[in-house]
Amino acid sequence: MENTPKTLAQIQGTIKSARDSVWVITDEIQKMTAGASPNKEHKGNLDRNVEHLKLVVADTEIVDSGEDITDLIVAIATGEAKLAEDIWPAAD
């Protein structure tokens, strides 16, 4: 099966979907900033959504599309920084 290039509409749809991951990352960090104790659920949500965004921004068709994905890149850095903090409970 041949790998068909994505249409601009498909690329824009992927970016729009990825922005849901940006929202999750922002929401999880806001919860902890507001006083929620870091837990496995927060860490799992951050980790999954950061990984999802990494896949999206690694797609050369998306990067080369000319669409603005700055917010995705910023969310990756923000999520990775929070994951790197020594605040997470030890794994069972």
Side-chain angles (χ1 to χ4, degrees), residues 46-62:
L46 282 172
D47 191 44
R48 273 189 307 282
N49 285 281
V50 166
E51 291 305 314
H52 174 238
L53 291 178
K54 285 180 179 179
L55 291 172
V56 172
V57 301
D59 185 325
T60 55
E61 286 184 289
I62 290 173

Side-chain angles (χ1 to χ4, degrees), residues 8-22:
L8 181 57
Q10 288 171 318
I11 289 169
Q12 289 169 334
T14 299
I15 293 169
K16 185 176 187 283
S17 172
R19 290 201 165 106
D20 290 342
S21 289
V22 172

